[in-house]
Amino acid sequence: MERETTDIEYKEKVTDTFLKTVSAFSNGTGGKIIFGITDRRESVGLSNPEKSALQIENKINDSIQPQPPYRISIDTEHHTVSLTVEEGPYKPYYWGNKAYICRDSSCVEMDIMDLESLILQKKNLDFDALPSSRQNLTFLTLNQELKQKLDLDNPGSDTFKSLGLLKPGYGYTIAAELLSDENSFPGIELVRYGADENEIQNRTTVEGCSLLTGYKEAEKFFNLYFRSELIRGSAREEYYRIPKNAFREAVLNSLIHRDWKRRNSRILIRMYDDCIKISSPGGLPEGITQEEYLEDDLSVPRNPDLAYVFLRLGYIERLRSGIRRILSSYRNQTAKPAFSFSTNVITVTLPVLDAKLNVSEDQTTVLNYIRENLSVSRKDIEQHTGFGRSKTARLLKELTALNLIEKSGNGPSTRYRLYSRPASILGTDKSIVRGR
């Protein structure tokens, strides 16, 4: 039996508390409630499943506004009732004058930002288009960028209106506040670790300032630890242990596509000897799958007004998330960028280019062949390397256990390709760079 998650819940009997979950599922991506099973996943059944099903239907119809899409089924063998709630087309859905949403495995009441975001979705608007609660904003950093990048002598209200940062009728938007010299949103936390996560060499928090300043501070921090100079004859050449373009695109993605409604979380940029991990609060934007994010580029920004300003300033390209450029920065490298997704966080892991892999010569031979051919079978490897079947199978098993390759398919259709798995480590202690 499946454990309780953000889209499945168990109820021992029918009480009004399940209506909170119905509201949350309708306001989210849907889910299932099974009655007659305890929280410990023990099937105890219902004394009268048909009567319980009618109770469930009446309670939903009488208590949830507007009425959400749902269906009810009865398991006569186990005397349980399943309620499947679909994602609602008319969000938000209320129970008792309150709207709920799933957070991890709990249903919690929506805050004002969540409600405003859902209402905006119905109007085809976005969170960054909401009016800012702060209207006494200054834009020294942004104005300097506008002068340099767009050759504007004196950016004013007309410029801000054309950029979508100043809306007639209610003033500066949240996108404007995020780009202002001082804002109330969480910023970026930068950490450099030593030999392990218990050794913090440097830690800085950049917040209360323009996102443009935050990006530049992150770039300085990156240059401090991953930029070197090579001397070739009389010439000096810059060398980056992690591709600068990959880091740049990953940070810009985290700023432009993060869920700014989540005011209790900072963007985390954690730097290790062998990689950088960039974690952005908020999962994938609604309507985007992991495959679309990784393979087709993220063409639906969560914050379109903010993205438009970065586009006009030349930081990003139109309708591109930079994912392909991150991946192309590691062309012909054994170690590849990795992406992990959860409801609340997207993490990008960028490995160093000169990382030493603790693998044998035979393992390296197999890795190089897979890298050159992208996806191969065991027989392909045997024919190329001359290794026997048992040896090849052993090497593939070892490389899979090391998370350097992954397997797909079964039997004769089994294929192998490169893979890199991200980890999650947080630190402590910090200094802060704030807006002025």
Side-chain angles (χ1 to χ4, degrees), residues 174-206:
I174 285 176
E177 182 182 344
L178 289 167
L179 293 165
S180 70
D181 298 318
E182 297 184 27
N183 70 68
S184 59
F185 289 86
I188 305 173
E189 194 163 350
L190 297 145
V191 187
R192 167 63 182 183
Y193 292 103
D196 56 43
E197 64 271 18
N198 295 316
E199 179 187 346
I200 298 177
Q201 295 181 346
N202 193 359
R203 184 167 186 155
T204 301
T205 299
V206 186

mmCIF file of all heavy atoms in Angstrom, residues 174-206:
data_model
loop_
_atom_site.group_PDB
_atom_site.id
_atom_site.type_symbol
_atom_site.label_atom_id
_atom_site.label_comp_id
_atom_site.label_asym_id
_atom_site.label_seq_id
_atom_site.Cartn_x
_atom_site.Cartn_y
_atom_site.Cartn_z
ATOM 1 N N ILE A 174 5.740 43.869 -8.072
ATOM 2 C CA ILE A 174 6.704 43.053 -7.331
ATOM 3 C C ILE A 174 7.988 42.879 -8.145
ATOM 4 O O ILE A 174 9.086 42.864 -7.580
ATOM 5 C CB ILE A 174 6.071 41.701 -6.964
ATOM 6 C CG1 ILE A 174 5.080 41.895 -5.812
ATOM 7 C CG2 ILE A 174 7.139 40.672 -6.579
ATOM 8 C CD1 ILE A 174 4.315 40.675 -5.419
ATOM 9 N N ALA A 175 7.872 42.748 -9.475
ATOM 10 C CA ALA A 175 9.072 42.663 -10.314
ATOM 11 C C ALA A 175 9.936 43.909 -10.131
ATOM 12 O O ALA A 175 11.169 43.827 -10.073
ATOM 13 C CB ALA A 175 8.684 42.495 -11.784
ATOM 14 N N ALA A 176 9.291 45.074 -10.030
ATOM 15 C CA ALA A 176 10.033 46.315 -9.807
ATOM 16 C C ALA A 176 10.738 46.282 -8.454
ATOM 17 O O ALA A 176 11.909 46.668 -8.339
ATOM 18 C CB ALA A 176 9.087 47.510 -9.886
ATOM 19 N N GLU A 177 10.032 45.814 -7.419
ATOM 20 C CA GLU A 177 10.663 45.753 -6.099
ATOM 21 C C GLU A 177 11.874 44.822 -6.110
ATOM 22 O O GLU A 177 12.908 45.122 -5.501
ATOM 23 C CB GLU A 177 9.664 45.280 -5.047
ATOM 24 C CG GLU A 177 10.278 45.248 -3.645
ATOM 25 C CD GLU A 177 9.323 44.738 -2.578
ATOM 26 O OE1 GLU A 177 8.113 44.684 -2.818
ATOM 27 O OE2 GLU A 177 9.822 44.386 -1.480
ATOM 28 N N LEU A 178 11.763 43.694 -6.797
ATOM 29 C CA LEU A 178 12.885 42.752 -6.856
ATOM 30 C C LEU A 178 14.114 43.372 -7.524
ATOM 31 O O LEU A 178 15.246 42.983 -7.227
ATOM 32 C CB LEU A 178 12.465 41.493 -7.609
ATOM 33 C CG LEU A 178 11.486 40.572 -6.882
ATOM 34 C CD1 LEU A 178 10.900 39.549 -7.845
ATOM 35 C CD2 LEU A 178 12.175 39.878 -5.710
ATOM 36 N N LEU A 179 13.902 44.328 -8.406
ATOM 37 C CA LEU A 179 15.005 44.986 -9.115
ATOM 38 C C LEU A 179 15.397 46.312 -8.478
ATOM 39 O O LEU A 179 16.319 46.976 -8.950
ATOM 40 C CB LEU A 179 14.621 45.211 -10.580
ATOM 41 C CG LEU A 179 14.465 43.931 -11.414
ATOM 42 C CD1 LEU A 179 13.747 44.233 -12.720
ATOM 43 C CD2 LEU A 179 15.829 43.304 -11.691
ATOM 44 N N SER A 180 14.707 46.696 -7.411
ATOM 45 C CA SER A 180 15.004 47.967 -6.749
ATOM 46 C C SER A 180 16.236 47.834 -5.853
ATOM 47 O O SER A 180 16.726 46.729 -5.593
ATOM 48 C CB SER A 180 13.805 48.425 -5.919
ATOM 49 O OG SER A 180 13.621 47.589 -4.793
ATOM 50 N N ASP A 181 16.725 48.979 -5.375
ATOM 51 C CA ASP A 181 17.947 48.971 -4.558
ATOM 52 C C ASP A 181 17.726 48.340 -3.195
ATOM 53 O O ASP A 181 18.671 47.856 -2.574
ATOM 54 C CB ASP A 181 18.455 50.408 -4.389
ATOM 55 C CG ASP A 181 18.833 51.036 -5.714
ATOM 56 O OD1 ASP A 181 19.461 50.337 -6.534
ATOM 57 O OD2 ASP A 181 18.498 52.207 -5.951
ATOM 58 N N GLU A 182 16.490 48.341 -2.706
ATOM 59 C CA GLU A 182 16.155 47.695 -1.442
ATOM 60 C C GLU A 182 14.833 46.966 -1.609
ATOM 61 O O GLU A 182 13.858 47.556 -2.060
ATOM 62 C CB GLU A 182 16.041 48.717 -0.303
ATOM 63 C CG GLU A 182 17.341 49.451 -0.011
ATOM 64 C CD GLU A 182 17.214 50.395 1.184
ATOM 65 O OE1 GLU A 182 16.363 50.111 2.056
ATOM 66 O OE2 GLU A 182 17.940 51.383 1.229
ATOM 67 N N ASN A 183 14.792 45.676 -1.268
ATOM 68 C CA ASN A 183 13.534 44.941 -1.339
ATOM 69 C C ASN A 183 13.388 44.033 -0.130
ATOM 70 O O ASN A 183 14.352 43.794 0.601
ATOM 71 C CB ASN A 183 13.427 44.152 -2.652
ATOM 72 C CG ASN A 183 14.373 42.977 -2.735
ATOM 73 O OD1 ASN A 183 14.229 42.003 -2.007
ATOM 74 N ND2 ASN A 183 15.357 43.064 -3.624
ATOM 75 N N SER A 184 12.173 43.539 0.081
ATOM 76 C CA SER A 184 11.876 42.766 1.294
ATOM 77 C C SER A 184 11.911 41.265 1.068
ATOM 78 O O SER A 184 11.486 40.501 1.932
ATOM 79 C CB SER A 184 10.481 43.172 1.808
ATOM 80 O OG SER A 184 9.491 42.927 0.815
ATOM 81 N N PHE A 185 12.421 40.828 -0.069
ATOM 82 C CA PHE A 185 12.421 39.403 -0.393
ATOM 83 C C PHE A 185 13.738 38.741 0.029
ATOM 84 O O PHE A 185 14.777 39.401 0.115
ATOM 85 C CB PHE A 185 12.201 39.202 -1.892
ATOM 86 C CG PHE A 185 10.807 39.514 -2.340
ATOM 87 C CD1 PHE A 185 10.444 40.817 -2.668
ATOM 88 C CD2 PHE A 185 9.846 38.520 -2.416
ATOM 89 C CE1 PHE A 185 9.155 41.119 -3.065
ATOM 90 C CE2 PHE A 185 8.554 38.804 -2.815
ATOM 91 C CZ PHE A 185 8.203 40.106 -3.134
ATOM 92 N N PRO A 186 13.706 37.417 0.292
ATOM 93 C CA PRO A 186 14.950 36.711 0.626
ATOM 94 C C PRO A 186 15.907 36.739 -0.551
ATOM 95 O O PRO A 186 15.483 36.797 -1.703
ATOM 96 C CB PRO A 186 14.482 35.285 0.941
ATOM 97 C CG PRO A 186 13.174 35.148 0.228
ATOM 98 C CD PRO A 186 12.547 36.500 0.251
ATOM 99 N N GLY A 187 17.210 36.706 -0.261
ATOM 100 C CA GLY A 187 18.206 36.845 -1.311
ATOM 101 C C GLY A 187 18.929 35.556 -1.644
ATOM 102 O O GLY A 187 18.318 34.496 -1.788
ATOM 103 N N ILE A 188 20.248 35.660 -1.739
ATOM 104 C CA ILE A 188 21.092 34.533 -2.135
ATOM 105 C C ILE A 188 22.062 34.222 -1.005
ATOM 106 O O ILE A 188 22.709 35.122 -0.463
ATOM 107 C CB ILE A 188 21.895 34.852 -3.409
ATOM 108 C CG1 ILE A 188 20.971 35.287 -4.541
ATOM 109 C CG2 ILE A 188 22.742 33.661 -3.832
ATOM 110 C CD1 ILE A 188 21.721 35.782 -5.768
ATOM 111 N N GLU A 189 22.174 32.959 -0.663
ATOM 112 C CA GLU A 189 23.137 32.512 0.343
ATOM 113 C C GLU A 189 24.267 31.775 -0.357
ATOM 114 O O GLU A 189 24.028 30.791 -1.065
ATOM 115 C CB GLU A 189 22.452 31.612 1.363
ATOM 116 C CG GLU A 189 23.283 31.392 2.616
ATOM 117 C CD GLU A 189 22.433 30.852 3.761
ATOM 118 O OE1 GLU A 189 21.198 30.820 3.649
ATOM 119 O OE2 GLU A 189 23.048 30.448 4.757
ATOM 120 N N LEU A 190 25.502 32.260 -0.184
ATOM 121 C CA LEU A 190 26.673 31.702 -0.848
ATOM 122 C C LEU A 190 27.574 31.062 0.197
ATOM 123 O O LEU A 190 27.939 31.706 1.188
ATOM 124 C CB LEU A 190 27.439 32.800 -1.580
ATOM 125 C CG LEU A 190 26.681 33.485 -2.721
ATOM 126 C CD1 LEU A 190 27.040 34.957 -2.796
ATOM 127 C CD2 LEU A 190 26.987 32.797 -4.039
ATOM 128 N N VAL A 191 27.919 29.787 -0.022
ATOM 129 C CA VAL A 191 28.742 29.059 0.945
ATOM 130 C C VAL A 191 29.877 28.358 0.213
ATOM 131 O O VAL A 191 29.654 27.708 -0.812
ATOM 132 C CB VAL A 191 27.925 28.008 1.725
ATOM 133 C CG1 VAL A 191 28.772 27.392 2.839
ATOM 134 C CG2 VAL A 191 26.654 28.616 2.299
ATOM 135 N N ARG A 192 31.079 28.485 0.759
ATOM 136 C CA ARG A 192 32.229 27.723 0.264
ATOM 137 C C ARG A 192 32.674 26.769 1.351
ATOM 138 O O ARG A 192 33.025 27.175 2.466
ATOM 139 C CB ARG A 192 33.385 28.656 -0.103
ATOM 140 C CG ARG A 192 34.728 27.966 -0.333
ATOM 141 C CD ARG A 192 34.702 27.001 -1.518
ATOM 142 N NE ARG A 192 35.991 26.326 -1.663
ATOM 143 C CZ ARG A 192 36.313 25.482 -2.626
ATOM 144 N NH1 ARG A 192 35.431 25.224 -3.571
ATOM 145 N NH2 ARG A 192 37.482 24.908 -2.680
ATOM 146 N N TYR A 193 32.629 25.456 1.037
ATOM 147 C CA TYR A 193 33.026 24.424 1.988
ATOM 148 C C TYR A 193 34.483 24.033 1.770
ATOM 149 O O TYR A 193 35.030 24.200 0.678
ATOM 150 C CB TYR A 193 32.140 23.188 1.838
ATOM 151 C CG TYR A 193 30.710 23.417 2.259
ATOM 152 C CD1 TYR A 193 29.717 23.601 1.306
ATOM 153 C CD2 TYR A 193 30.354 23.440 3.602
ATOM 154 C CE1 TYR A 193 28.397 23.815 1.678
ATOM 155 C CE2 TYR A 193 29.039 23.654 3.989
ATOM 156 C CZ TYR A 193 28.069 23.841 3.023
ATOM 157 O OH TYR A 193 26.772 24.058 3.399
ATOM 158 N N GLY A 194 35.079 23.473 2.824
ATOM 159 C CA GLY A 194 36.447 22.986 2.753
ATOM 160 C C GLY A 194 36.484 21.505 2.430
ATOM 161 O O GLY A 194 35.897 21.051 1.456
ATOM 162 N N ALA A 195 37.176 20.748 3.291
ATOM 163 C CA ALA A 195 37.337 19.315 3.037
ATOM 164 C C ALA A 195 35.998 18.585 3.046
ATOM 165 O O ALA A 195 35.808 17.608 2.322
ATOM 166 C CB ALA A 195 38.272 18.707 4.084
ATOM 167 N N ASP A 196 35.049 19.032 3.883
ATOM 168 C CA ASP A 196 33.707 18.457 3.897
ATOM 169 C C ASP A 196 32.730 19.532 4.336
ATOM 170 O O ASP A 196 33.103 20.686 4.580
ATOM 171 C CB ASP A 196 33.637 17.217 4.806
ATOM 172 C CG ASP A 196 34.104 17.509 6.225
ATOM 173 O OD1 ASP A 196 33.725 18.570 6.778
ATOM 174 O OD2 ASP A 196 34.841 16.686 6.796
ATOM 175 N N GLU A 197 31.457 19.154 4.477
ATOM 176 C CA GLU A 197 30.425 20.138 4.800
ATOM 177 C C GLU A 197 30.535 20.686 6.212
ATOM 178 O O GLU A 197 29.849 21.652 6.565
ATOM 179 C CB GLU A 197 29.032 19.538 4.571
ATOM 180 C CG GLU A 197 28.684 18.377 5.457
ATOM 181 C CD GLU A 197 29.096 17.042 4.866
ATOM 182 O OE1 GLU A 197 29.938 17.031 3.939
ATOM 183 O OE2 GLU A 197 28.580 16.006 5.320
ATOM 184 N N ASN A 198 31.356 20.056 7.046
ATOM 185 C CA ASN A 198 31.551 20.564 8.398
ATOM 186 C C ASN A 198 32.557 21.711 8.450
ATOM 187 O O ASN A 198 32.659 22.387 9.465
ATOM 188 C CB ASN A 198 32.022 19.431 9.323
ATOM 189 C CG ASN A 198 30.973 18.352 9.479
ATOM 190 O OD1 ASN A 198 29.794 18.651 9.668
ATOM 191 N ND2 ASN A 198 31.390 17.099 9.389
ATOM 192 N N GLU A 199 33.284 21.920 7.371
ATOM 193 C CA GLU A 199 34.281 22.996 7.319
ATOM 194 C C GLU A 199 33.798 24.091 6.359
ATOM 195 O O GLU A 199 33.751 23.897 5.151
ATOM 196 C CB GLU A 199 35.632 22.456 6.839
ATOM 197 C CG GLU A 199 36.711 23.528 6.745
ATOM 198 C CD GLU A 199 37.981 23.016 6.102
ATOM 199 O OE1 GLU A 199 38.121 21.784 5.978
ATOM 200 O OE2 GLU A 199 38.815 23.855 5.703
ATOM 201 N N ILE A 200 33.415 25.227 6.911
ATOM 202 C CA ILE A 200 32.938 26.355 6.112
ATOM 203 C C ILE A 200 34.063 27.373 5.994
ATOM 204 O O ILE A 200 34.488 27.972 6.984
ATOM 205 C CB ILE A 200 31.692 26.990 6.737
ATOM 206 C CG1 ILE A 200 30.553 25.973 6.782
ATOM 207 C CG2 ILE A 200 31.276 28.235 5.969
ATOM 208 C CD1 ILE A 200 29.301 26.483 7.459
ATOM 209 N N GLN A 201 34.565 27.559 4.783
ATOM 210 C CA GLN A 201 35.644 28.506 4.551
ATOM 211 C C GLN A 201 35.143 29.934 4.387
ATOM 212 O O GLN A 201 35.822 30.889 4.758
ATOM 213 C CB GLN A 201 36.441 28.090 3.309
ATOM 214 C CG GLN A 201 37.165 26.768 3.448
ATOM 215 C CD GLN A 201 37.944 26.414 2.200
ATOM 216 O OE1 GLN A 201 37.768 27.003 1.142
ATOM 217 N NE2 GLN A 201 38.823 25.426 2.328
ATOM 218 N N ASN A 202 33.962 30.086 3.810
ATOM 219 C CA ASN A 202 33.428 31.426 3.568
ATOM 220 C C ASN A 202 31.920 31.316 3.434
ATOM 221 O O ASN A 202 31.409 30.339 2.874
ATOM 222 C CB ASN A 202 34.027 32.024 2.298
ATOM 223 C CG ASN A 202 33.768 33.510 2.170
ATOM 224 O OD1 ASN A 202 33.110 34.121 3.018
ATOM 225 N ND2 ASN A 202 34.293 34.118 1.124
ATOM 226 N N ARG A 203 31.218 32.311 3.945
ATOM 227 C CA ARG A 203 29.765 32.318 3.837
ATOM 228 C C ARG A 203 29.266 33.751 3.769
ATOM 229 O O ARG A 203 29.649 34.592 4.587
ATOM 230 C CB ARG A 203 29.130 31.600 5.014
ATOM 231 C CG ARG A 203 27.609 31.490 4.913
ATOM 232 C CD ARG A 203 27.076 30.515 5.929
ATOM 233 N NE ARG A 203 25.642 30.314 5.741
ATOM 234 C CZ ARG A 203 25.009 29.228 6.119
ATOM 235 N NH1 ARG A 203 25.687 28.237 6.665
ATOM 236 N NH2 ARG A 203 23.710 29.108 5.939
ATOM 237 N N THR A 204 28.452 34.048 2.779
ATOM 238 C CA THR A 204 27.927 35.391 2.573
ATOM 239 C C THR A 204 26.466 35.318 2.161
ATOM 240 O O THR A 204 26.089 34.459 1.358
ATOM 241 C CB THR A 204 28.709 36.130 1.474
ATOM 242 O OG1 THR A 204 30.087 36.218 1.849
ATOM 243 C CG2 THR A 204 28.169 37.535 1.258
ATOM 244 N N THR A 205 25.656 36.215 2.694
ATOM 245 C CA THR A 205 24.265 36.333 2.274
ATOM 246 C C THR A 205 24.078 37.688 1.607
ATOM 247 O O THR A 205 24.422 38.721 2.178
ATOM 248 C CB THR A 205 23.304 36.191 3.460
ATOM 249 O OG1 THR A 205 23.470 34.907 4.045
ATOM 250 C CG2 THR A 205 21.859 36.348 3.010
ATOM 251 N N VAL A 206 23.557 37.660 0.400
ATOM 252 C CA VAL A 206 23.308 38.883 -0.369
ATOM 253 C C VAL A 206 21.806 39.072 -0.460
ATOM 254 O O VAL A 206 21.112 38.299 -1.128
ATOM 255 C CB VAL A 206 23.911 38.786 -1.790
ATOM 256 C CG1 VAL A 206 23.777 40.127 -2.509
ATOM 257 C CG2 VAL A 206 25.372 38.357 -1.740
#
